[in-house]
Amino acid sequence: MIMMMILSRYFNSRTARRFVSTCSGHGWWDKVRVAPKDPTVKVNESFLADPFPHKINLGVGTYRDDDGKPFTPQCVGDAEAKINRYKLEETNSSEVSSKFVMESVKLAYGNDSFVVREGLYAGVPTLSGTGACRLFAEFQRNFYPDSQIHLPDPTWPNHHNIWSQAQIPVKTFHYYDPYTKGLDFDALISDVKNAPDSSFFLLHPCAHNPTGIDPTEEQWREISYQFKVKNHFPFFDMAYQGFSSGDLDKDAAALRIFVEDGHLVGLAQSFAKNMGLFGHKVGCLSVLTRDIKQAAAVKSQLEHIFHSMYSSPPIHGILLVTMILSDPTMKEQWKKEIKIMANRIRAMRTTLRRNLEDLDSSFSWEHITNQVGMFCFSGLTPDQVKYLEKQFHIYMSPDARISMAGVTPSNVNYLANAIHQVTRISEETSVCM
Amino acid sequence: MASSSVLSVATQCVSRNASSLSINETHKGKAKLGGSTLRFSKSSGRISMTVAVNVSRFEAIPMAPPDPILGVSEAFRADTSDAKLNLGVGAYRTEELQPYVLNVVKKAENLMLERGDNKEYLPIEGLAAFNKATAELLLGADNPAIKEQRVATVQGLSGTGSLRLGAALIERYFPGAKVLISAPTWGNHKNIFNDARVPWSEYRYYDPRTVGLDFEGMIEDIKAAPEGTFVLLHGCAHNPTGIDPTPEQWEKIADVIQQKNHIPFFDVAYQGFASGSLDEDAASVRLFVACGMEVLVAQSYSKNLGLYAERIGAMNVISSSSESATRVKSQLKRLARPMYSNPPVHGAKIVANVVGTPALFDEWKAEMEMMAGRIKNVRQKLYDSISSKDKSGKDWSFILKQIGMFSYTGLNKNQSDNMTNKWHVYMTKDGRISLAGLSLAKCEYLADAIIDSFHNVS
């Protein structure tokens, strides 16, 4: 009270009077609590804060080279130099976007795909994979307000946030079998059969995140068949095309099986990982339709949704991807670089497993090489994960997902040793008990 | 429906034939049935059915309404007349009516290319250097709010994306709160709040009788709104009217908002473009902050740095304490993560480089003055042309009083149509012209068109 009187005496402007009158006013944001930290971000921050010289970051799924450095493919560097020489006028933005979408769907569905040739799809550029998923979730809510989304258990945690934020209830279906550290196929099929007809399902077509466990071709065909019987809607989130096998077409096989079987799928594509364009937020959402008239209608609705979210997508990444995919030389180079990246990860898998076996670990580590893509679902317990962090300065997701991209020839021995230590200790502890 | 009958036939086929085919047999064939195609193929002992789907579940989806502003550009492109003039979308054009990439942007991009920056994900809140630069640009580096760390800044996808983050924050923490928007306002404001499920209503703003501000109406409507309403204000260069409150009027607006315990929500899309001075154009925002109010501000660098397609902007929440700002920032991040995870890097780096490099910053200010100056010249020339040609005695001075890229001509829909149909001048139906698309050379022609439309069409 006294403080306010002093202040008001010092300032004679109207501004001051107002300031005083607000001092006692309430803070609008008092009710706003601190948000929980995103788990991946938390891991990353802890890693960055750690001063230990031999620390290892196996948290976020961004590709690293053999020296543990971020890696920008050569084709991307070349494309950067090229587009810098001319910068696009806004009037051509929509032309570039159309070209981008065309190249993206060719990549996913196949150059000679019927749906691509006939234009039986609604496609728009999106803010990477997240943006594509969110756009579809909003679209789903607009036209199927009472629907739910069935997500694999486990899945990328942000899938849950995305559909929840779009106000679509989330259900999960069986996927990971912790006993075999493989796919729980029977339970998966059972869940597909038991879901109400015409349910929306999200599937990872390759390099499942976080488990690295993909169905076989046979299993995919069975899933597709069951989806047909139940008239389910398959939504694919393809964030790692090229990272499973090193071959872009092979990695799209599951998607193409469904399309061949006549499903009118939805697809989220991301170029964050396979082109190293993380920060540029380049992705594509496509929804297959019966005819081009419907494709135009669906596209217009998707545009309407993102128009009120961010008006239009950022052009830089779109330019890069379009240039790389539409230039045969660049595209070839990119395919080579993907193979290199995928092979490096596979080599690290092999080395890690061999090291553990050489240490005479009594556990089976074959899941390390059975799983594909960037991630390894190690099967470590939460306590073991904590121990690895505290004692060995090795950081991974709380669910014990290891980003193999963070494993290098120079740290793989240290990693193997550390994993061996924590699992041996746990075993000994449990034996004593 | 056709597809379900096809499917049931297919299932029957499977159960009938499954036992009669052995593992090693392959059977492929096609049968046409009711407009769709059944294909049988087998792999490893089971028959898999492929059925071309007749009915899509998105059957009932209608075409969305076309965006009115983009529609103008399309119609312009289709027009073959030599005299055509595009005064539709608000993108800056040179005197030669070409798009303009700022020199500082080219320099910044060259720097970035030389450095070979990596392309890692930005943090959810965006590039730190950008966030710092943008808050300081908005409020002034020595603003107490910044010094006291009371500003939560999160990089957003230009103005739209930043507004949407703000709207999402309102929806989550102020359920039921309304946003008051000006009549008229930028068309996308309504879409943004609708899709974010935030209710809105309008306050009077444009007075067609004076082609100026309905100040009394504006104050009345703000006063009448329930306490705790969010009031959306254009920081400068109001879109679409070009009509800004005077400094005195801003003070009164701030008073009323404070008395009613409303929350001001600024949309700052033209900082630098109104007067040519970045600081002057931020005066309204700085006034409100100096009053001690908690303020939301969405910023865009689409126009003032010409970064339209890069999508770079920011959502700022200035609150009463640094602790509060920390909490708010964490929630903004939480809203951004399921929208796009983290924002795009390229535009952020350009802005950070331009603002953070003194030589580039000075050069930018000069280019900003040049762009705003060109528009001011064009306004003057248009006014001079109309005044000298129009003998009716009508007062056209509102053209000079308005500010920024746009001008509300006062033409109604029919008159605007006449502008397009007779004169090949493309503009929006509300009578808005974008002066950024007007050259000095075309002012006489435009003057003729406006005079004709105003006097000869009702």
Side-chain angles (χ1 to χ4, degrees), chain A residues 100 124-135 156 158 162 268-272 277-285 306 309-315 317-318, chain B residues 121 156-158 160-161 164 309-311 336-345:
Chain A
F100 164 80
V124 292
T126 56
L127 297 172
S128 207
T130 309
C133 288
R134 177 59 179 269
L135 184 56
W156 181 48
N158 210 22
I162 290 168
Q269 282 171 279
S270 167
F271 291 95
L277 294 176
F278 309 97
H280 288 293
K281 313 307 295 167
V282 206
C284 183
L285 172 68
F306 72 67
M309 283 182 113
Y310 47 85
S311 279
S312 56
I315 198 70
I318 292 175
Chain B
Y121 285 125
L157 279 284
S158 203
T160 309
R164 182 59 179 262
E310 307 289 352
R311 319 308 301 140
R337 177 58 160 151
M339 271 192 210
Y340 45 79
S341 281
N342 36 62
V345 66

Short mmCIF file of all heavy atoms in Angstrom, two decimals, chain A residues 100 124-135 156 158 162 268-272 277-285 306 309-315 317-318, chain B residues 121 156-158 160-161 164 309-311 336-345:
data_model
loop_
_atom_site.label_atom_id
_atom_site.label_comp_id
_atom_site.label_asym_id
_atom_site.label_seq_id
_atom_site.Cartn_x
_atom_site.Cartn_y
_atom_site.Cartn_z
N PHE A 100 6.34 -31.00 -55.64
CA PHE A 100 6.82 -31.72 -54.46
C PHE A 100 5.90 -32.89 -54.11
O PHE A 100 6.36 -34.01 -53.87
CB PHE A 100 6.91 -30.75 -53.27
CG PHE A 100 7.04 -31.44 -51.94
CD1 PHE A 100 8.25 -31.93 -51.52
CD2 PHE A 100 5.93 -31.60 -51.13
CE1 PHE A 100 8.37 -32.59 -50.29
CE2 PHE A 100 6.04 -32.24 -49.90
CZ PHE A 100 7.26 -32.73 -49.48
N VAL A 124 -0.88 -33.00 -49.95
CA VAL A 124 -0.44 -31.65 -49.58
C VAL A 124 0.88 -31.74 -48.83
O VAL A 124 1.11 -32.72 -48.10
CB VAL A 124 -1.48 -30.92 -48.69
CG1 VAL A 124 -2.73 -30.60 -49.47
CG2 VAL A 124 -1.80 -31.71 -47.45
N PRO A 125 1.75 -30.72 -48.97
CA PRO A 125 2.97 -30.71 -48.16
C PRO A 125 2.59 -30.42 -46.71
O PRO A 125 1.61 -29.72 -46.46
CB PRO A 125 3.80 -29.55 -48.74
CG PRO A 125 3.01 -28.94 -49.82
CD PRO A 125 1.65 -29.53 -49.83
N THR A 126 3.37 -30.95 -45.78
CA THR A 126 3.05 -30.78 -44.35
C THR A 126 4.32 -30.46 -43.57
O THR A 126 5.42 -30.53 -44.11
CB THR A 126 2.48 -32.07 -43.77
OG1 THR A 126 3.41 -33.14 -43.99
CG2 THR A 126 1.15 -32.43 -44.41
N LEU A 127 4.11 -30.10 -42.31
CA LEU A 127 5.24 -29.82 -41.43
C LEU A 127 5.81 -31.13 -40.94
O LEU A 127 5.58 -31.56 -39.81
CB LEU A 127 4.79 -28.93 -40.27
CG LEU A 127 4.29 -27.56 -40.71
CD1 LEU A 127 3.68 -26.80 -39.55
CD2 LEU A 127 5.43 -26.74 -41.28
N SER A 128 6.54 -31.78 -41.81
CA SER A 128 7.18 -33.06 -41.54
C SER A 128 6.13 -34.11 -41.13
O SER A 128 4.95 -33.96 -41.46
CB SER A 128 8.24 -32.89 -40.45
OG SER A 128 9.24 -33.88 -40.60
N GLY A 129 6.57 -35.15 -40.48
CA GLY A 129 5.66 -36.24 -40.14
C GLY A 129 4.61 -35.84 -39.12
O GLY A 129 3.43 -36.16 -39.25
N THR A 130 5.05 -35.09 -38.10
CA THR A 130 4.11 -34.62 -37.07
C THR A 130 2.97 -33.85 -37.70
O THR A 130 1.79 -34.08 -37.41
CB THR A 130 4.81 -33.70 -36.06
OG1 THR A 130 6.00 -34.31 -35.58
CG2 THR A 130 3.90 -33.36 -34.91
N GLY A 131 3.32 -32.92 -38.56
CA GLY A 131 2.32 -32.08 -39.21
C GLY A 131 1.36 -32.90 -40.05
O GLY A 131 0.16 -32.60 -40.09
N ALA A 132 1.89 -33.93 -40.72
CA ALA A 132 1.03 -34.77 -41.56
C ALA A 132 0.04 -35.53 -40.69
O ALA A 132 -1.15 -35.63 -41.01
CB ALA A 132 1.87 -35.74 -42.39
N CYS A 133 0.54 -36.07 -39.58
CA CYS A 133 -0.35 -36.82 -38.68
C CYS A 133 -1.42 -35.89 -38.09
O CYS A 133 -2.60 -36.23 -38.04
CB CYS A 133 0.44 -37.47 -37.54
SG CYS A 133 1.44 -38.87 -38.05
N ARG A 134 -0.98 -34.71 -37.68
CA ARG A 134 -1.93 -33.79 -37.05
C ARG A 134 -2.99 -33.33 -38.06
O ARG A 134 -4.18 -33.23 -37.74
CB ARG A 134 -1.18 -32.58 -36.49
CG ARG A 134 -2.09 -31.51 -35.88
CD ARG A 134 -2.95 -32.04 -34.74
NE ARG A 134 -3.79 -31.02 -34.16
CZ ARG A 134 -3.43 -30.25 -33.13
NH1 ARG A 134 -2.24 -30.41 -32.58
NH2 ARG A 134 -4.26 -29.33 -32.66
N LEU A 135 -2.55 -33.07 -39.28
CA LEU A 135 -3.47 -32.64 -40.32
C LEU A 135 -4.51 -33.73 -40.57
O LEU A 135 -5.71 -33.45 -40.67
CB LEU A 135 -2.71 -32.32 -41.60
CG LEU A 135 -3.52 -31.76 -42.77
CD1 LEU A 135 -4.29 -30.52 -42.37
CD2 LEU A 135 -2.57 -31.43 -43.93
N TRP A 156 5.42 -44.25 -31.20
CA TRP A 156 6.02 -42.95 -30.93
C TRP A 156 5.07 -42.20 -30.00
O TRP A 156 3.89 -42.01 -30.33
CB TRP A 156 6.21 -42.23 -32.26
CG TRP A 156 6.83 -40.89 -32.19
CD1 TRP A 156 7.96 -40.52 -31.51
CD2 TRP A 156 6.37 -39.72 -32.87
NE1 TRP A 156 8.24 -39.20 -31.72
CE2 TRP A 156 7.27 -38.67 -32.56
CE3 TRP A 156 5.29 -39.43 -33.71
CZ2 TRP A 156 7.13 -37.39 -33.05
CZ3 TRP A 156 5.15 -38.16 -34.20
CH2 TRP A 156 6.07 -37.14 -33.87
N ASN A 158 4.42 -39.21 -29.28
CA ASN A 158 3.72 -38.03 -29.78
C ASN A 158 2.45 -38.37 -30.56
O ASN A 158 1.57 -37.52 -30.70
CB ASN A 158 4.66 -37.17 -30.64
CG ASN A 158 4.31 -35.68 -30.59
OD1 ASN A 158 3.66 -35.22 -29.65
ND2 ASN A 158 4.73 -34.94 -31.58
N ILE A 162 -0.90 -36.12 -30.45
CA ILE A 162 -1.46 -35.55 -31.68
C ILE A 162 -2.95 -35.83 -31.78
O ILE A 162 -3.75 -34.90 -31.98
CB ILE A 162 -0.72 -36.12 -32.91
CG1 ILE A 162 0.71 -35.59 -32.97
CG2 ILE A 162 -1.47 -35.77 -34.21
CD1 ILE A 162 1.59 -36.30 -33.98
N ALA A 268 1.29 -40.54 -44.05
CA ALA A 268 2.13 -39.42 -43.62
C ALA A 268 3.56 -39.77 -43.99
O ALA A 268 4.05 -40.83 -43.62
CB ALA A 268 2.02 -39.21 -42.12
N GLN A 269 4.22 -38.90 -44.75
CA GLN A 269 5.63 -39.11 -45.09
C GLN A 269 6.47 -38.03 -44.45
O GLN A 269 6.06 -36.87 -44.39
CB GLN A 269 5.85 -38.98 -46.60
CG GLN A 269 5.47 -40.14 -47.45
CD GLN A 269 5.56 -39.76 -48.92
OE1 GLN A 269 4.65 -39.15 -49.46
NE2 GLN A 269 6.64 -40.13 -49.55
N SER A 270 7.68 -38.40 -44.03
CA SER A 270 8.61 -37.42 -43.50
C SER A 270 9.93 -37.52 -44.23
O SER A 270 10.40 -38.62 -44.52
CB SER A 270 8.84 -37.65 -42.01
OG SER A 270 9.96 -36.91 -41.56
N PHE A 271 10.54 -36.37 -44.52
CA PHE A 271 11.87 -36.36 -45.12
C PHE A 271 12.94 -35.93 -44.10
O PHE A 271 14.07 -35.63 -44.46
CB PHE A 271 11.90 -35.43 -46.35
CG PHE A 271 11.10 -35.97 -47.49
CD1 PHE A 271 9.79 -35.58 -47.69
CD2 PHE A 271 11.65 -36.90 -48.35
CE1 PHE A 271 9.03 -36.10 -48.73
CE2 PHE A 271 10.91 -37.42 -49.41
CZ PHE A 271 9.59 -37.02 -49.59
N ALA A 272 12.52 -35.92 -42.83
CA ALA A 272 13.44 -35.48 -41.79
C ALA A 272 14.65 -36.41 -41.69
O ALA A 272 15.80 -35.97 -41.70
CB ALA A 272 12.73 -35.41 -40.45
N LEU A 277 16.83 -33.70 -43.28
CA LEU A 277 16.27 -32.35 -43.32
C LEU A 277 15.47 -32.02 -42.07
O LEU A 277 14.50 -31.28 -42.13
CB LEU A 277 15.38 -32.18 -44.56
CG LEU A 277 16.10 -32.26 -45.89
CD1 LEU A 277 15.10 -32.20 -47.03
CD2 LEU A 277 17.11 -31.13 -46.02
N PHE A 278 15.90 -32.56 -40.96
CA PHE A 278 15.14 -32.44 -39.72
C PHE A 278 14.57 -31.05 -39.50
O PHE A 278 13.37 -30.86 -39.32
CB PHE A 278 16.04 -32.76 -38.52
CG PHE A 278 16.78 -34.05 -38.66
CD1 PHE A 278 18.09 -34.07 -39.12
CD2 PHE A 278 16.17 -35.25 -38.34
CE1 PHE A 278 18.77 -35.27 -39.25
CE2 PHE A 278 16.86 -36.44 -38.48
CZ PHE A 278 18.16 -36.45 -38.93
N GLY A 279 15.43 -30.05 -39.47
CA GLY A 279 15.02 -28.71 -39.09
C GLY A 279 14.16 -28.01 -40.12
O GLY A 279 13.57 -26.96 -39.84
N HIS A 280 14.07 -28.58 -41.31
CA HIS A 280 13.31 -27.89 -42.36
C HIS A 280 11.85 -28.29 -42.39
O HIS A 280 11.05 -27.66 -43.07
CB HIS A 280 13.96 -28.13 -43.73
CG HIS A 280 15.25 -27.38 -43.89
ND1 HIS A 280 15.29 -26.00 -43.94
CD2 HIS A 280 16.52 -27.80 -43.96
CE1 HIS A 280 16.56 -25.62 -44.05
NE2 HIS A 280 17.32 -26.70 -44.07
N LYS A 281 11.50 -29.34 -41.65
CA LYS A 281 10.10 -29.70 -41.50
C LYS A 281 9.43 -29.96 -42.85
O LYS A 281 8.53 -29.22 -43.30
CB LYS A 281 9.32 -28.58 -40.76
CG LYS A 281 10.00 -28.08 -39.51
CD LYS A 281 10.37 -29.16 -38.54
CE LYS A 281 9.16 -29.84 -37.98
NZ LYS A 281 9.55 -31.09 -37.26
N VAL A 282 9.90 -31.02 -43.53
CA VAL A 282 9.31 -31.35 -44.83
C VAL A 282 8.62 -32.69 -44.74
O VAL A 282 9.22 -33.69 -44.37
CB VAL A 282 10.37 -31.49 -45.95
CG1 VAL A 282 9.73 -31.21 -47.29
CG2 VAL A 282 11.54 -30.59 -45.69
N GLY A 283 7.36 -32.69 -45.09
CA GLY A 283 6.62 -33.94 -45.10
C GLY A 283 5.48 -33.83 -46.09
O GLY A 283 5.27 -32.79 -46.71
N CYS A 284 4.73 -34.92 -46.21
CA CYS A 284 3.62 -34.94 -47.15
C CYS A 284 2.50 -35.81 -46.61
O CYS A 284 2.77 -36.88 -46.05
CB CYS A 284 4.10 -35.49 -48.50
SG CYS A 284 2.84 -35.48 -49.77
N LEU A 285 1.27 -35.32 -46.73
CA LEU A 285 0.10 -36.13 -46.38
C LEU A 285 -0.64 -36.47 -47.66
O LEU A 285 -0.91 -35.58 -48.47
CB LEU A 285 -0.84 -35.38 -45.44
CG LEU A 285 -2.19 -36.08 -45.17
CD1 LEU A 285 -1.99 -37.35 -44.37
CD2 LEU A 285 -3.15 -35.15 -44.43
N PHE A 306 -5.12 -26.60 -42.79
CA PHE A 306 -3.82 -26.05 -42.46
C PHE A 306 -3.74 -24.54 -42.70
O PHE A 306 -2.91 -23.84 -42.14
CB PHE A 306 -2.64 -26.81 -43.09
CG PHE A 306 -2.42 -26.66 -44.58
CD1 PHE A 306 -2.03 -25.45 -45.13
CD2 PHE A 306 -2.54 -27.77 -45.41
CE1 PHE A 306 -1.78 -25.34 -46.50
CE2 PHE A 306 -2.30 -27.66 -46.78
CZ PHE A 306 -1.91 -26.44 -47.32
N MET A 309 -3.98 -23.08 -39.54
CA MET A 309 -2.92 -23.47 -38.60
C MET A 309 -1.62 -22.72 -38.88
O MET A 309 -0.91 -22.33 -37.97
CB MET A 309 -2.65 -24.97 -38.69
CG MET A 309 -3.68 -25.81 -38.00
SD MET A 309 -3.24 -27.55 -38.10
CE MET A 309 -2.90 -27.90 -36.41
N TYR A 310 -1.30 -22.57 -40.17
CA TYR A 310 -0.06 -21.87 -40.50
C TYR A 310 -0.05 -21.29 -41.91
O TYR A 310 0.99 -20.90 -42.43
CB TYR A 310 1.16 -22.80 -40.31
CG TYR A 310 1.01 -24.17 -40.93
CD1 TYR A 310 1.29 -24.38 -42.26
CD2 TYR A 310 0.57 -25.24 -40.15
CE1 TYR A 310 1.13 -25.64 -42.83
CE2 TYR A 310 0.40 -26.49 -40.71
CZ TYR A 310 0.69 -26.69 -42.06
OH TYR A 310 0.53 -27.93 -42.61
N SER A 311 -1.22 -21.21 -42.52
CA SER A 311 -1.40 -20.65 -43.87
C SER A 311 -0.77 -21.50 -44.97
O SER A 311 -1.44 -21.94 -45.88
CB SER A 311 -0.86 -19.22 -43.99
OG SER A 311 -1.78 -18.31 -43.50
N SER A 312 0.53 -21.65 -44.95
CA SER A 312 1.21 -22.42 -45.99
C SER A 312 2.50 -22.98 -45.40
O SER A 312 3.00 -22.45 -44.42
CB SER A 312 1.51 -21.54 -47.20
OG SER A 312 2.27 -20.42 -46.80
N PRO A 313 3.01 -24.08 -45.99
CA PRO A 313 4.19 -24.71 -45.40
C PRO A 313 5.47 -23.97 -45.78
O PRO A 313 5.52 -23.28 -46.80
CB PRO A 313 4.18 -26.12 -46.01
CG PRO A 313 3.50 -25.94 -47.32
CD PRO A 313 2.53 -24.81 -47.18
N PRO A 314 6.55 -24.12 -44.99
CA PRO A 314 7.81 -23.42 -45.28
C PRO A 314 8.44 -23.95 -46.56
O PRO A 314 8.56 -25.16 -46.74
CB PRO A 314 8.69 -23.74 -44.08
CG PRO A 314 8.10 -24.93 -43.44
CD PRO A 314 6.64 -24.96 -43.79
N ILE A 315 8.87 -23.03 -47.42
CA ILE A 315 9.21 -23.42 -48.79
C ILE A 315 10.59 -24.04 -48.92
O ILE A 315 10.84 -24.84 -49.84
CB ILE A 315 9.07 -22.19 -49.73
CG1 ILE A 315 8.98 -22.63 -51.20
CG2 ILE A 315 10.23 -21.21 -49.56
CD1 ILE A 315 7.68 -23.32 -51.55
N GLY A 317 12.60 -26.29 -47.41
CA GLY A 317 12.73 -27.74 -47.42
C GLY A 317 12.03 -28.35 -48.63
O GLY A 317 12.51 -29.30 -49.23
N ILE A 318 10.87 -27.80 -48.96
CA ILE A 318 10.12 -28.29 -50.12
C ILE A 318 10.94 -28.16 -51.39
O ILE A 318 10.99 -29.07 -52.23
CB ILE A 318 8.79 -27.53 -50.25
CG1 ILE A 318 7.85 -27.89 -49.08
CG2 ILE A 318 8.10 -27.84 -51.58
CD1 ILE A 318 6.57 -27.10 -49.07
N TYR B 121 17.14 -30.68 -35.75
CA TYR B 121 15.88 -30.15 -35.25
C TYR B 121 16.14 -28.94 -34.36
O TYR B 121 17.09 -28.92 -33.59
CB TYR B 121 15.18 -31.17 -34.36
CG TYR B 121 14.52 -32.32 -35.07
CD1 TYR B 121 14.83 -33.64 -34.73
CD2 TYR B 121 13.54 -32.11 -36.04
CE1 TYR B 121 14.20 -34.70 -35.36
CE2 TYR B 121 12.91 -33.17 -36.67
CZ TYR B 121 13.25 -34.47 -36.32
OH TYR B 121 12.62 -35.51 -36.92
N GLY B 156 7.09 -19.26 -34.15
CA GLY B 156 5.88 -19.82 -34.75
C GLY B 156 5.94 -19.77 -36.27
O GLY B 156 6.84 -19.17 -36.86
N LEU B 157 4.96 -20.42 -36.88
CA LEU B 157 4.91 -20.46 -38.34
C LEU B 157 4.30 -19.15 -38.83
O LEU B 157 3.11 -19.06 -39.15
CB LEU B 157 4.05 -21.65 -38.81
CG LEU B 157 4.65 -23.04 -38.87
CD1 LEU B 157 5.56 -23.21 -40.06
CD2 LEU B 157 5.39 -23.43 -37.62
N SER B 158 5.12 -18.11 -38.87
CA SER B 158 4.70 -16.79 -39.30
C SER B 158 3.55 -16.27 -38.43
O SER B 158 3.37 -16.73 -37.30
CB SER B 158 4.30 -16.81 -40.78
OG SER B 158 4.41 -15.50 -41.31
N THR B 160 0.18 -16.50 -38.91
CA THR B 160 -0.90 -17.48 -38.73
C THR B 160 -0.58 -18.50 -37.65
O THR B 160 -1.37 -18.74 -36.74
CB THR B 160 -1.16 -18.24 -40.04
OG1 THR B 160 -1.34 -17.32 -41.10
CG2 THR B 160 -2.38 -19.13 -39.92
N GLY B 161 0.60 -19.10 -37.76
CA GLY B 161 0.99 -20.14 -36.81
C GLY B 161 1.08 -19.60 -35.39
O GLY B 161 0.72 -20.27 -34.43
N ARG B 164 -2.33 -19.01 -34.06
CA ARG B 164 -2.96 -20.30 -33.72
C ARG B 164 -2.48 -20.83 -32.39
O ARG B 164 -3.26 -21.37 -31.61
CB ARG B 164 -2.70 -21.31 -34.83
CG ARG B 164 -3.35 -22.67 -34.61
CD ARG B 164 -4.85 -22.59 -34.48
NE ARG B 164 -5.45 -23.90 -34.30
CZ ARG B 164 -6.00 -24.62 -35.28
NH1 ARG B 164 -6.03 -24.14 -36.50
NH2 ARG B 164 -6.51 -25.81 -35.03
N ALA B 309 7.33 -17.06 -47.83
CA ALA B 309 7.23 -18.51 -47.99
C ALA B 309 8.04 -19.28 -46.94
O ALA B 309 7.91 -20.49 -46.85
CB ALA B 309 7.68 -18.91 -49.39
N GLU B 310 8.86 -18.60 -46.15
CA GLU B 310 9.68 -19.32 -45.17
C GLU B 310 8.91 -19.57 -43.88
O GLU B 310 9.32 -20.40 -43.07
CB GLU B 310 10.97 -18.53 -44.85
CG GLU B 310 11.79 -18.15 -46.07
CD GLU B 310 12.49 -19.33 -46.74
OE1 GLU B 310 12.47 -20.44 -46.20
OE2 GLU B 310 13.06 -19.12 -47.84
N ARG B 311 7.82 -18.82 -43.67
CA ARG B 311 6.96 -19.01 -42.51
C ARG B 311 7.67 -18.76 -41.19
O ARG B 311 7.90 -19.69 -40.39
CB ARG B 311 6.35 -20.43 -42.49
CG ARG B 311 5.87 -20.97 -43.85
CD ARG B 311 4.93 -20.04 -44.58
NE ARG B 311 3.73 -19.73 -43.86
CZ ARG B 311 3.13 -18.55 -43.79
NH1 ARG B 311 3.61 -17.51 -44.45
NH2 ARG B 311 2.05 -18.39 -43.08
N ALA B 336 2.65 -26.80 -29.17
CA ALA B 336 3.33 -26.87 -30.46
C ALA B 336 3.74 -28.30 -30.82
O ALA B 336 3.68 -28.70 -31.98
CB ALA B 336 4.56 -25.97 -30.45
N ARG B 337 4.11 -29.08 -29.80
CA ARG B 337 4.65 -30.42 -30.06
C ARG B 337 3.69 -31.30 -30.87
O ARG B 337 4.10 -31.93 -31.85
CB ARG B 337 5.02 -31.05 -28.72
CG ARG B 337 5.55 -32.49 -28.70
CD ARG B 337 6.77 -32.73 -29.52
NE ARG B 337 7.48 -33.94 -29.09
CZ ARG B 337 8.22 -34.71 -29.86
NH1 ARG B 337 8.40 -34.41 -31.11
NH2 ARG B 337 8.82 -35.78 -29.37
N PRO B 338 2.37 -31.37 -30.49
CA PRO B 338 1.49 -32.19 -31.32
C PRO B 338 0.95 -31.49 -32.58
O PRO B 338 0.11 -32.03 -33.27
CB PRO B 338 0.32 -32.53 -30.37
CG PRO B 338 0.33 -31.49 -29.32
CD PRO B 338 1.70 -30.89 -29.27
N MET B 339 1.48 -30.26 -32.84
CA MET B 339 1.09 -29.63 -34.11
C MET B 339 2.15 -29.89 -35.16
O MET B 339 1.84 -30.18 -36.31
CB MET B 339 0.97 -28.12 -33.92
CG MET B 339 -0.40 -27.64 -33.50
SD MET B 339 -0.49 -25.85 -33.67
CE MET B 339 -1.66 -25.48 -32.39
N TYR B 340 3.42 -29.72 -34.78
CA TYR B 340 4.49 -29.91 -35.77
C TYR B 340 5.82 -30.27 -35.12
O TYR B 340 6.84 -30.29 -35.80
CB TYR B 340 4.65 -28.65 -36.63
CG TYR B 340 4.64 -27.35 -35.86
CD1 TYR B 340 5.77 -26.91 -35.18
CD2 TYR B 340 3.49 -26.57 -35.78
CE1 TYR B 340 5.76 -25.73 -34.46
CE2 TYR B 340 3.47 -25.39 -35.06
CZ TYR B 340 4.60 -24.97 -34.40
OH TYR B 340 4.58 -23.81 -33.68
N SER B 341 5.83 -30.56 -33.86
CA SER B 341 7.02 -30.94 -33.08
C SER B 341 7.99 -29.80 -32.81
O SER B 341 8.32 -29.53 -31.68
CB SER B 341 7.81 -32.09 -33.73
OG SER B 341 7.17 -33.31 -33.47
N ASN B 342 8.49 -29.18 -33.85
CA ASN B 342 9.42 -28.05 -33.70
C ASN B 342 9.34 -27.23 -34.99
O ASN B 342 8.98 -27.77 -36.03
CB ASN B 342 10.84 -28.52 -33.43
CG ASN B 342 11.18 -29.80 -34.17
OD1 ASN B 342 11.17 -29.85 -35.40
ND2 ASN B 342 11.43 -30.86 -33.45
N PRO B 343 9.65 -25.93 -34.93
CA PRO B 343 9.41 -25.09 -36.10
C PRO B 343 10.54 -25.16 -37.12
O PRO B 343 11.64 -25.64 -36.82
CB PRO B 343 9.30 -23.68 -35.49
CG PRO B 343 10.15 -23.73 -34.27
CD PRO B 343 10.13 -25.15 -33.76
N PRO B 344 10.30 -24.70 -38.35
CA PRO B 344 11.31 -24.78 -39.41
C PRO B 344 12.46 -23.81 -39.18
O PRO B 344 12.27 -22.70 -38.72
CB PRO B 344 10.55 -24.42 -40.69
CG PRO B 344 9.35 -23.68 -40.24
CD PRO B 344 9.03 -24.12 -38.84
N VAL B 345 13.64 -24.25 -39.58
CA VAL B 345 14.87 -23.55 -39.19
C VAL B 345 15.27 -22.40 -40.11
O VAL B 345 15.82 -21.39 -39.66
CB VAL B 345 16.03 -24.58 -39.07
CG1 VAL B 345 16.38 -25.18 -40.43
CG2 VAL B 345 17.24 -23.95 -38.44
#
